[in-house]
Amino acid sequence: FVALVFIIGGLLLFFGGFSNKHTLTIIASALLFIASIYKLIITWGDVLNEFLQVSHNQDGTIKNAPLFVCKGFLSQSGTDDPVLTPITDTIGGIWARISSGTYTLTKTGAFMVEKTVPLDDVYTDQNNNLFKINRTNADTITLLTYSSVDTTTPVDDILLNRFINIEIYN
């Protein structure tokens, strides 16, 4: 591109299309423009390269991506265990009803301290029912459900296609 600017400038000088001063001004402006674009490309190239190095492993996998995920819709009725309709479930734990409004996801040694999300979270739905989920220990995630009428005593029949997302990181 730089060569093209010089060639055009030289042709303009040779054929007298512009005065020497005018042609030199055009060439100087073009070179400054090219230098600015080059600097921009190099800067963005460095930013992109840094992003790729920080965000991806050498094999192309995403760094800090969850190792295991349980993502889907959870439902429960009566005294039955909750049932997960998975979007993805690489944890593969077992959902169980422990008592009224108290449910667990169990997988031996899966829920590592400071590596499991959510740690402790509280959610409400459109009816103001309350959902509390937390990592109980390395083997268990506990989910409690409360009716909007009484948010102190866990109750069944509140989970109806409730979205859940549990992630375990390395």
Side-chain angles (χ1 to χ4, degrees):
F1 191 76
V2 173
L4 182 61
V5 170
F6 278 111
I7 291 169
I8 292 171
L11 290 172
L12 289 172
L13 273 174
F14 181 75
F15 290 110
F18 292 106
S19 68
N20 290 347
K21 184 177 180 184
H22 191 82
T23 301
L24 291 175
T25 302
I26 291 173
I27 291 172
S29 296
L31 287 174
L32 285 174
F33 175 75
I34 291 167
S36 298
I37 295 297
Y38 178 75
K39 172 97 170 127
L40 183 66
I41 290 169
I42 295 301
T43 301
W44 278 105
D46 290 345
V47 168
L48 181 59
N49 188 41
E50 183 176 326
F51 169 77
L52 291 174
Q53 288 176 0
V54 170
S55 301
H56 295 82
N57 296 313
Q58 288 181 347
D59 64 359
T61 58
I62 299 173
K63 282 186 179 180
N64 300 323
L67 292 174
F68 301 101
V69 176
C70 176
K71 184 182 294 188
F73 298 92
L74 202 58
S75 295
Q76 186 278 333
S77 64
T79 58
D80 294 340
D81 291 334
V83 175
L84 178 70
T85 303
I87 295 171
T88 184
D89 184 11
T90 56
I91 293 174
I94 298 171
W95 284 98
R97 178 184 179 274
I98 302 304
S99 61
S100 182
T102 304
Y103 317 101
T104 58
L105 173 61
T106 304
K107 175 87 178 219
T108 303
F111 308 113
M112 301 169 282
V113 67
E114 297 181 11
K115 303 289 183 177
T116 303
V117 176
L119 299 174
D120 292 300
D121 281 317
V122 177
Y123 306 97
T124 57
D125 65 11
Q126 68 274 10
N127 298 319
N128 290 322
N129 295 319
L130 187 66
F131 306 89
K132 293 182 180 181
I133 188 167
N134 67 351
R135 176 193 172 276
T136 308
N137 56 47
D139 302 329
T140 309
I141 297 283
T142 301
L143 173 64
L144 302 169
T145 59
Y146 301 89
S147 166
S148 60
V149 178
D150 178 6
T151 57
T152 60
T153 305
V155 295
D156 288 324
D157 294 314
I158 299 293
L159 288 172
L160 179 60
N161 288 324
R162 179 70 189 164
F163 179 75
I164 190 159
N165 184 32
I166 299 168
E167 299 176 345
I168 302 169
Y169 291 83
N170 189 6

